[in-house]
C-alpha cells in the first residue's frame, strides 16, 4: 500500500494548508460590539452555488430554505413562472417550470444528509458515545475561561500564556475525559510537543491524514467548533489591522487536531483504527448524494432573487425627480442619516411632514474613525467599521473642569460599588447569606421591571452620571498628550477629515441653516445581542460619539477657514448639530448647543417638532410590520424596557437593496424599510474617488449585513445563534444555546423568524448605482475583492440611467446587459 500520509508533505505545505483552512473562517465579534459579518467571507472568490454544494457535503450546511418555502412563494405569485423558466434555461436544465415543480420531492428537505466525518464523528458512530459533542464541550469549557472578559469572579485560566500553551496545561490535568472512559488521555496530552507547529504535525501523523483529505478535514474541524473558531478569527482580524501576524486561529486548529489524535489513542480499537484508515485513504470528494435536492432549492432561490429584483426595478419607473433641480428657497435643515435600512423609513416620513428638511444618507461614523473613550474609562472603543483601524482617541467629558472631575470620581466610585455588590451576590460563600437578608429588598425593583416602569438594568452610558451631567456631555477634540496617551485630533487632520467627509457626502455647496448629523443606536434590556442593533459603521456602538465629533470639527472656525481654501465654503450661519436616532423607539434627541441665538432656537424647535411627528409616523408604520396591537407609541416604547421581549425591534431584517444615488432618485419610492440609501452625485466626483470609496467600504459592509441575515435565515442551526430564550452568556464574549456546547454565531432565530413565519426573506443584495458604467467597471478592475462578490453572484449589481430608471444589469466579467 502506498503511504499517502501527510508526513511526506513539507513543513511549508503543511503551514499553507493550516493557513488556508483558517482563511475560510469568518470572524465573530464579542457581545460588547456585535458587528454583522459575511459568514462566507472566505469563499468570496468562489461561485455561490459551488460554495453551497461544498458546504453541504462538508457539514450539511444549507444555503437555501426548504422547497416548501419557495413553493408557497410561487403559489402567492412572489416567484414568477417566467423567472423560474429563466433560471432553468441558465442552468441548461431539460425541464420546463411545471415539470420541474412536479418533480420536486419536499420530503428530501427533512432527511438527514451525510457529511464529511472527523475522527470524533467516526468514534461516535462506532462506539455509540457522542465523543464529538464531548470534545466540543470540553474545548468550550476551556475557551470560556481563557477568553473571559470579566464575567467570571475567579480567573480560571492564564490568558498571558499562548492559546495552545494554556489549553495543553489545563487539558493535561483535566480528569473529565478519563472519567468518561478515555484512558491515558492526559498522558497523551502531556506527551505532545510544546510548539503548536510540531504538535500539529505529530497529530496529523497519528491520524494518518492523506494529502487529498487534509484541506477538507482541517476545515471540517473548524466547523465542528465554528463559534470559538470564529471568535478567534476575529482576534486575528484585529491583529492584522494593527500590522501583526495572524497565528491565533492556527493555534486553536492545532488544539482540535491534538484532541482528535489523543481521542484516537485513548479509544485505540481495531474497529475504529481500521474504519478510519479505510475512510481517509479512500476519501474522494463527491456531491452526487446532495446535488438533486440542493440544486433544486438553489434554483428556486435564484428564481426568487430574480422576481424580487424585478420588483425593485419597477419601483424606479414612473414619476421622476430631476437631479440638481434648482431650489427657490434655501432649506432649513439637511438631515444626514446613516445608510441603515431603518433610517429609510424615518427619512421618508420626515420629508413628508416637513418639506423644509431634506435628508441624505452616509455611513453612520460620518468618516470620523475614532477611538472613543467614555468618561472614567481606561480604554477606548473603536467607533468605525470593522474594515478600518480606529484613528485618533477622543475623550468624553464635561466642559467645566470641576464638574468633569466630580463626574469622573462619581463614575469610578459607582463602578467599584457595583463590582463589590456583584461579588457579594455571586460569591461562592456570600451568595447564600446575601439572599436571605437582602433578597426581599429586590421585590419593588422586580415588580417595576416586570411592568416596564423601569429598566431591568441600567444603561451603561448613563451609569454614574446625574441627569443634567449626562445631557451636557461633550467630546474633546483638542489635540494634547496626557496620561501617557495622545488624545484629540490635530488641526490639520481635522481639516483633512472634514473635507473628506463632505466630499464623500456630495455636500460641498448649498448648505442649509442646520446640518443635522444623526447617528443611531438602539434600546433594549436583557438582550445579549443588543449591540448588534446599534450602528455597524461605528463598530457595534451608538453613532452618537461620531456625530458629536463630526459636528464639533465642522463648527470649528479654523477648520472652516481652511476648508474655504479647498473650495468648500460653509456659510457662517450654518450650524452643524449632532443627534441620536433610537431605532427601537424612533425618537431623536439632539445635542444642546449654548451658542445658538434666539432665532436659531426658534427654528430648532420647529425642526424638533417635525422629527417628533416623523417618529410617530415611523412607529405606526413599523407597528404594522411587527403586527403590534394597542396604543402604538406606548407599546413600542414598552418593548425597549421589557426584559422578556425577544424582539425589541425588527433590526435590519428584510434588507434587500442598496441605492447609491442622489436622494432625488428615491424620494418618491417607498422601500418599506428594506433599502440602504447612500447619497452620491457622480457629477461632483471628478476622479470617481468617492465612488471607489463607497464601493470598497459601505458596499462591502452592506453585503456583510445582507449575507449574515441570509445565512441566519436559510440555516439557523449552523449559521445562526439559535433560540434566544435558551441563551447563556459565556465569558462576556458570546452565547451558548443551553448550558454547554459551542459558541453560537450569526443572529438568533427571533431576529429572522416569528414562529414559523420568515421575517427576513432571503434574497441577495441588489446594489443600484447611478454612475457611468466605465467608472463602475474601473473600480471592479482595481479591487478584486469587490469584483469577486459580484462576479461570483454573492450580490447583484444594477445601474441607473440618465432618466433615473434601472437601465443596466451586470452579468459578469465587466459586462452589462440593457434592461
Amino acid at each position: 500500500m502506498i503511504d499517502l500520509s501527510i508526513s511526506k508533505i513539507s513543513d511549508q505545505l503543511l503551514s499553507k494548508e493550516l493557513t488556508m483552512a483558517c482563511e475560510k473562517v469568518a470572524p465573530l465579534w464579542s457581545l460588547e460590539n456585535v458587528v454583522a459579518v459575511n459568514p462566507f467571507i472566505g469563499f468570496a472568490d468562489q461561485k455561490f452555488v459551488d460554495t453551497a454544494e461544498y458546504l453541504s457535503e462538508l457539514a450539511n450546511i444549507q444555503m437555501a430554505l426548504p422547497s416548501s418555502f419557495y413553493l408557497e412563494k410561487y403559489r402567492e405569485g412572489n416567484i414568477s413562472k417566467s423567472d423560474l423558466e429563466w433560471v432553468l434555461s441558465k442552468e441548461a436544465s431539460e425541464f420546463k417550470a411545471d415539470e420541474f415543480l412536479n418533480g420536486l420531492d419536499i420530503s428530501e428537505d427533512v432527511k438527514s444528509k451525510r457529511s464529511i466525518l472527523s475522527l470524533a464523528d467516526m468514534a461516535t458512530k462506532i462506539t455509540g458515545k457522542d465523543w464529538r459533542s464531548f470534545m466540543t464541550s470540553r474545548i468550550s469549557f476551556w475557551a470560556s475561561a481563557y477568553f473571559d472578559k470579566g464575567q467570571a469572579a475567579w480567573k480560571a485560566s492564564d490568558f498571558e500564556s499562548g492559546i495552545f500553551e494554556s489549553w495543553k496545561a489545563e487539558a493535561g490535568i483535566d480528569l473529565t475525559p478519563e472519567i468518561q472512559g478515555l484512558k491515558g488521555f492526559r498522558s497523551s496530552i502531556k506527551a505532545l510537543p510544546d510548539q503548536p507547529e510540531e504538535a500539529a504535525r505529530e497529530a496529523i501523523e497519528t491520524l494518518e491524514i492523506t494529502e487529498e483529505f487534509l484541506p477538507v478535514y482541517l476545515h471540517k474541524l473548524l466547523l465542528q467548533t465554528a463559534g470559538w473558531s470564529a471568535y478567534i478569527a476575529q482576534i486575528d482580524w484585529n491583529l492584522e489591522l494593527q500590522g501583526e501576524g495572524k497565528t491565533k486561529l492556527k493555534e486553536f486548529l492545532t488544539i482540535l487536531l491534538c484532541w482528535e489524535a489523543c481521542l484516537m489513542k485513548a479509544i485505540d480499537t481495531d474497529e475504529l483504527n481500521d474504519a478510519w484508515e479505510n475512510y481517509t485513504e479512500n476519501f474522494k470528494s463527491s456531491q452526487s448524494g446532495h446535488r438533486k435536492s440542493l440544486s433544486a432549492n438553489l434554483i428556486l432561490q435564484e428564481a426568487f432573487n430574480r422576481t424580487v429584483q424585478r420588483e425593485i426595478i419597477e419601483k424606479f419607473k414612473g414619476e421622476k425627480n430631476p437631479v440638481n433641480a434648482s431650489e427657490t428657497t434655501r432649506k432649513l435643515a439637511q438631515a444626514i442619516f446613516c445608510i441603515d435600512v431603518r433610517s429609510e423609513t424615518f427619512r421618508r416620513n420626515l420629508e413628508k411632514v416637513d418639506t423644509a428638511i431634506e435628508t441624505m444618507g452616509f455611513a453612520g461614523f460620518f468618516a470620523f474613525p475614532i477611538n472613543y473613550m467614555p468618561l472614567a474609562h481606561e480604554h477606548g472603543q473603536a467607533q468605525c467599521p470593522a474594515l478600518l483601524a480606529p484613528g485618533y482617541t477622543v475623550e468624553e467629558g464635561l466642559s467645566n473642569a470641576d464638574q468633569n472631575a466630580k463626574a469622573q470620581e462619581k463614575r469610578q466610585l459607582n463602578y467599584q460599588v457595583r463590582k463589590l455588590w456583584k461579588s457579594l451576590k455571586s460569591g461562592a460563600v456570600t451568595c447564600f447569606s446575601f439572599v436571605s437578608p437582602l433578597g426581599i429588598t429586590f421585590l419593588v425593583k422586580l415588580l417595576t421591571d416586570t411592568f416596564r416602569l423601569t429598566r431591568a438594568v441600567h444603561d451603561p452610558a448613563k451609569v454614574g452620571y446625574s441627569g443634567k451631567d449626562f445631557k451636557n456631555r461633550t467630546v474633546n477634540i483638542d489635540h494634547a498628550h496626557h496620561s501617557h496617551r495622545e488624545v484629540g485630533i490635530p488641526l490639520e487632520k481635522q481639516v483633512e477629515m472634514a473635507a473628506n467627509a463632505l466630499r464623500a457626502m456630495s455636500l460641498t455647496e448649498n448648505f442649509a441653516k442646520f446640518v443635522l448629523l444623526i447617528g443611531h443606536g438602539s434600546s433594549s434590556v436583557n438582550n445579549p445581542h443588543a449591540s448588534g442593533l446599534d450602528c455597524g459603521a461605528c463598530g457595534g456602538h451608538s453613532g452618537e460619539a461620531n456625530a458629536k465629533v463630526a459636528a464639533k470639527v465642522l463648527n470649528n472656525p479654523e477648520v472652516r477657514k481652511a476648508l474655504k481654501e479647498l473650495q468648500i465654503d460653509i456659510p457662517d450661519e450654518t450650524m452643524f448639530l449632532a443627534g441620536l436616532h433610537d431605532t427601537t423607539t424612533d425618537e431623536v434627541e439632539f445635542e444642546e448647543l449654548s451658542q445658538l441665538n434666539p432665532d436659531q432656537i426658534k427654528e430648532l424647535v420647529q425642526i424638533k417638532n417635525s422629527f417628533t411627528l416623523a417618529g410617530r409616523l415611523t412607529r405606526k408604520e413599523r407597528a404594522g410590520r411587527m403586527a403590534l396591537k394597542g396604543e402604538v407609541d406606548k407599546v413600542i416604547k414598552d418593548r425597549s424596557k421589557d426584559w422578556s421581549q425577544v424582539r425589541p425591534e425588527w433590526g435590519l431584517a428584510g434588507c434587500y437593496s442598496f441605492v447609491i444615488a442622489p436622494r432625488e432618485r428615491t424620494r418618491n419610492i417607498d422601500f418599506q424599510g428594506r433599502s440602504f440609501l447612500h447619497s452620491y452625485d457622480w457629477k461632483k466626483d471628478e476622479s470617481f474617488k468617492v465612488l471607489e470609496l463607497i464601493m470598497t467600504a459601505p458596499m462591502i459592509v452592506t453585503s456583510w449585513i445582507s449575507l449574515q441575515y441570509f445565512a441566519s435565515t436559510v440555516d439557523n442551526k449552523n449559521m445562526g445563534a439559535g433560540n434566544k430564550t435558551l441563551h447563556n452568556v459565556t465569558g462576556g464574549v458570546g452565547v451558548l444555546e443551553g448550558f454547554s456546547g459551542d459558541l453560537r454565531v450569526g443572529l438568533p432565530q427571533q431576529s429572522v423568524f416569528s414562529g414559523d413565519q420568515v421575517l427576513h426573506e432571503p434574497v441577495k443584495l441588489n446594489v443600484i448605482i447611478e454612475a457611468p458604467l466605465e467608472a463602475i467597471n474601473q473600480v471592479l478592475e482595481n479591487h478584486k475583492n469587490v469584483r469577486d462578490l459580484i462576479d461570483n453572484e454573492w450580490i447583484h449589481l444594477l445601474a441607473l440611467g440618465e432618466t433615473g430608471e434601472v437601465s443596466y444589469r451586470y452579468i459578469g466579467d465587466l459586462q452589462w446587459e440593457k434592461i
Side-chain angles (χ1 to χ4, degrees):
M1 182 175 64
I2 301 174
D3 186 359
L4 298 174
S5 71
I6 196 64
S7 60
K8 304 300 180 184
I9 296 181
S10 68
D11 290 343
Q12 183 178 7
L13 183 55
L14 176 56
S15 177
K16 177 184 176 183
E17 293 291 357
L18 292 170
T19 300
M20 288 179 64
C22 293
E23 292 292 339
K24 290 183 172 69
V25 180
L28 170 69
W29 274 262
S30 62
L31 295 177
E32 63 187 2
N33 59 323
V34 175
V35 175
V37 65
N38 171 13
F40 313 109
I41 195 170
F43 297 90
D45 60 344
Q46 300 178 32
K47 291 288 186 182
F48 176 92
V49 67
D50 293 338
T51 302
E53 296 190 354
Y54 166 76
L55 290 177
S56 178
E57 178 188 33
L58 181 65
N60 198 17
I61 294 172
Q62 302 304 305
M63 288 172 61
L65 283 169
S67 304
S68 55
F69 169 82
Y70 303 104
L71 289 174
E72 183 64 26
K73 289 295 178 184
Y74 186 81
R75 285 191 287 268
E76 294 171 351
N78 293 317
I79 295 179
S80 72
K81 186 174 182 178
S82 62
D83 288 326
L84 181 55
E85 295 277 14
W86 180 85
V87 177
L88 289 169
S89 65
K90 176 186 173 186
E91 296 296 319
S93 171
E94 60 185 12
F95 298 111
K96 296 297 183 181
D98 292 336
E99 295 174 308
F100 172 79
L101 293 173
N102 291 334
L104 287 176
D105 186 357
I106 298 178
S107 64
E108 286 292 319
D109 288 328
V110 297
K111 289 183 179 178
S112 176
K113 300 182 176 73
R114 68 176 182 86
S115 61
I116 303 300
L117 300 180
S118 64
L119 186 280
D121 289 327
M122 183 69 77
T124 299
K125 182 178 180 182
I126 290 175
T127 66
K129 294 183 178 180
D130 194 352
W131 292 116
R132 173 178 170 178
S133 295
F134 178 71
M135 170 181 166
T136 300
S137 69
R138 295 317 300 162
I139 290 174
S140 187
F141 182 82
W142 160 80
S144 296
Y146 182 78
F147 294 107
D148 180 78
K149 291 197 169 190
Q151 179 179 347
W154 294 346
K155 190 66 175 174
S157 188
D158 182 11
F159 187 74
E160 297 301 320
S161 302
I163 288 177
F164 180 75
E165 180 185 358
S166 173
W167 169 80
K168 185 172 181 285
E170 183 169 317
I173 59 174
D174 183 7
L175 288 170
T176 311
E178 293 182 11
I179 293 173
Q180 293 296 318
L182 298 180
K183 294 182 180 180
F185 190 84
R186 287 181 300 155
S187 299
S188 297
I189 295 291
K190 291 176 181 178
L192 290 168
D194 291 332
Q195 295 301 315
E197 298 84 357
E198 296 176 13
R201 170 172 288 284
E202 183 173 307
I204 291 170
E205 290 175 355
T206 299
L207 293 163
E208 297 184 338
I209 306 298
T210 63
E211 183 175 349
E212 181 183 8
F213 188 43
L214 181 63
V216 174
Y217 173 69
L218 293 176
H219 190 205
K220 172 70 174 182
L221 288 182
L222 290 169
L223 287 176
Q224 282 187 180
T225 321
W228 286 111
S229 296
Y231 179 74
I232 298 168
Q234 171 262 151
I235 296 175
D236 274 341
W237 178 283
N238 288 328
L239 288 173
E240 188 175 36
L241 284 179
Q242 298 166 18
E244 300 181 33
K246 302 195 298 183
T247 60
K248 304 301 183 184
L249 187 53
K250 287 173 71 173
E251 285 193 53
F252 185 68
L253 179 52
T254 299
I255 293 173
L256 303 179
L257 283 166
C258 291
W259 232 105
E260 292 246 313
C262 293
L263 177 65
M264 185 177 189
K265 288 181 179 180
I267 296 177
D268 194 25
T269 64
D270 290 341
E271 185 179 7
L272 175 60
N273 295 338
D274 292 344
W276 182 246
E277 181 181 5
N278 181 63
Y279 184 76
T280 56
E281 290 186 357
N282 294 290
F283 170 79
K284 187 174 182 181
S285 179
S286 172
Q287 296 159 354
S288 59
H290 301 266
R291 194 171 185 87
K292 182 180 177 181
S293 63
L294 176 67
S295 295
N297 291 349
L298 286 174
I299 286 171
L300 290 167
Q301 173 64 50
E302 188 56 33
F304 186 42
N305 290 333
R306 185 82 172 183
T307 300
V308 171
Q309 185 181 95
R310 283 198 303 102
E311 293 172 356
I312 294 172
I313 292 172
E314 285 295 318
K315 287 181 179 290
F316 285 85
K317 294 182 179 179
E319 183 182 354
K320 295 293 175 298
N321 291 307
V323 176
N324 296 329
S326 58
E327 293 283 352
T328 56
T329 58
R330 182 187 182 191
K331 291 291 184 182
L332 173 61
Q334 292 159 324
I336 304 171
F337 288 79
C338 181
I339 61 175
D340 190 292
V341 297
R342 293 166 291 182
S343 299
E344 185 273 332
T345 309
F346 198 102
R347 290 174 60 184
R348 179 166 31 84
N349 286 313
L350 180 61
E351 291 169 341
K352 185 188 302 182
V353 301
D354 194 338
T355 58
I357 300 175
E358 68 172 334
T359 72
M360 304 169 68
F362 190 70
F365 75 118
F366 301 109
F368 282 82
I370 59 172
N371 179 48
Y372 182 63
M373 189 172 296
L375 183 66
H377 280 231
E378 186 177 350
H379 303 288
Q381 57 195 36
Q383 296 269 161
C384 60
L387 294 167
L388 305 176
Y392 292 94
T393 296
V394 175
E395 295 178 317
E396 173 189 75
L398 300 173
S399 299
N400 183 282
D402 290 338
Q403 291 176 340
N404 187 74
K406 290 178 181 178
Q408 179 164 329
E409 183 178 348
K410 185 178 177 181
R411 294 201 79 186
Q412 289 172 335
L413 178 61
N414 184 282
Y415 170 77
Q416 292 166 356
V417 171
R418 291 170 67 86
K419 187 176 181 181
L420 176 61
W421 191 250
K422 178 183 176 182
S423 68
L424 287 172
K425 289 194 296 181
S426 58
V429 177
T430 54
C431 64
F432 297 103
S433 57
F434 179 91
V435 172
S436 297
L438 295 177
I440 192 65
T441 64
F442 284 83
L443 180 60
V444 174
K445 182 73 165 64
L446 185 65
L447 290 173
T448 56
D449 288 345
T450 301
F451 290 102
R452 300 180 292 278
L453 301 175
T454 55
R455 283 176 58 99
V457 293
H458 295 288
D459 183 345
K462 296 181 179 180
V463 170
Y465 271 119
S466 66
K468 181 180 179 181
D469 284 347
F470 183 78
K471 190 174 182 179
N472 292 331
R473 290 171 306 142
T474 186
V475 292
N476 185 6
I477 62 173
D478 295 335
H479 188 231
H481 291 81
H482 64 77
S483 301
H484 308 291
R485 64 168 63 97
E486 180 183 11
V487 297
I489 308 173
L491 179 60
E492 62 273 16
K493 284 297 180 181
Q494 289 186 36
V495 174
E496 179 184 327
M497 295 168 80
N500 290 341
L502 293 173
R503 287 168 180 156
M505 295 175 188
S506 295
L507 181 61
T508 56
E509 57 187 357
N510 300 324
F511 291 90
K513 294 181 179 180
F514 289 91
V515 179
L516 313 173
L517 302 171
I518 313 296
H520 69 91
S522 178
S523 297
S524 60
V525 293
N526 194 27
N527 179 13
H529 291 88
S531 63
L533 297 174
D534 285 338
C535 182
C538 301
H541 302 105
S542 155
E544 181 182 21
N546 300 77
K548 285 184 174 181
V549 169
K552 198 157 192 176
V553 168
L554 289 164
N555 283 331
N556 186 342
E558 293 183 81
V559 170
R560 291 195 181 189
K561 182 179 179 182
L563 288 175
K564 193 170 185 178
E565 296 177 5
L566 297 174
Q567 315 307 314
I568 302 176
D569 189 3
I570 302 174
D572 291 340
E573 65 271 21
T574 292
M575 181 68 66
F576 286 81
L577 197 63
L580 179 65
H581 172 205
D582 187 325
T583 55
T584 304
T585 63
D586 280 307
E587 296 175 311
V588 177
E589 294 184 357
F590 290 95
E591 180 184 20
E592 299 295 334
L593 294 181
S594 59
Q595 62 266 43
L596 296 179
N597 61 46
D599 289 338
Q600 288 176 316
I601 292 174
K602 183 177 179 180
E603 291 171 327
L604 187 56
V605 169
Q606 176 189 332
I607 291 171
K608 288 182 176 180
N609 289 338
S610 297
F611 271 80
T612 299
L613 182 55
R616 290 184 189 142
L617 292 175
T618 304
R619 285 192 291 273
K620 184 177 181 180
E621 184 175 332
R622 287 202 303 112
R625 291 205 301 268
M626 298 182 75
L628 302 182
K629 298 179 180 179
E631 185 184 341
V632 171
D633 286 0
K634 183 178 186 304
V635 170
I636 285 184
K637 291 176 183 179
D638 282 350
R639 292 171 77 91
S640 70
K641 297 180 289 185
D642 186 353
W643 63 354
S644 67
Q645 182 53 246
V646 294
R647 194 178 298 106
E649 62 162 277
W650 210 28
L652 294 99
C655 59
Y656 71 165
S657 66
F658 177 28
V659 183
I660 305 169
R663 176 56 173 161
E664 287 83 357
R665 298 302 195 196
T666 58
R667 183 166 291 154
N668 293 333
I669 300 176
D670 181 357
F671 286 105
Q672 300 176 314
R674 300 184 65 187
S675 185
F676 302 95
L677 299 178
H678 197 301
S679 299
Y680 171 69
D681 187 347
W682 70 267
K683 294 177 181 177
K684 296 180 181 179
D685 187 15
E686 295 181 4
S687 60
F688 294 107
K689 289 296 183 183
V690 173
L691 176 64
E692 183 176 35
L693 176 65
I694 296 172
M695 291 181 66
T696 55
M699 193 175 94
I700 298 294
V701 172
T702 54
S703 75
W704 281 19
I705 295 169
S706 170
L707 288 166
Q708 184 188 60
Y709 272 85
F710 179 96
S712 295
T713 302
V714 296
D715 192 346
N716 197 268
K717 177 181 177 182
N718 289 302
M719 295 186 287
N723 191 337
K724 184 181 282 189
T725 62
L726 302 177
H727 285 172
N728 282 302
V729 175
T730 181
V733 301
V735 297
L736 306 180
E737 190 178 15
F739 70 92
S740 66
D742 190 21
L743 210 62
R744 295 309 303 260
V745 300
L747 301 163
Q749 291 174 1
Q750 287 84 354
S751 293
V752 289
F753 289 93
S754 179
D756 294 332
Q757 181 185 359
V758 178
L759 278 178
H760 177 78
E761 294 183 341
V763 292
K764 296 176 184 177
L765 186 71
N766 292 276
V767 179
I768 305 163
I769 304 176
E770 180 171 350
L773 300 185
E774 297 79 10
I776 299 174
N777 277 354
Q778 189 62 55
V779 175
L780 297 179
E781 280 192 286
N782 294 340
H783 297 276
K784 183 179 182 298
N785 64 321
V786 179
R787 183 174 175 180
D788 281 345
L789 276 174
I790 303 166
D791 275 0
N792 293 321
E793 300 181 331
W794 294 98
I795 60 177
H796 296 305
L797 183 59
L798 304 164
L800 292 176
E802 293 181 0
T803 62
E805 295 187 353
V806 179
S807 303
Y808 298 94
R809 179 189 290 114
Y810 184 85
I811 57 176
D813 197 25
L814 302 180
Q815 300 298 310
W816 299 76
E817 67 177 8
K818 181 78 174 174
I819 297 177

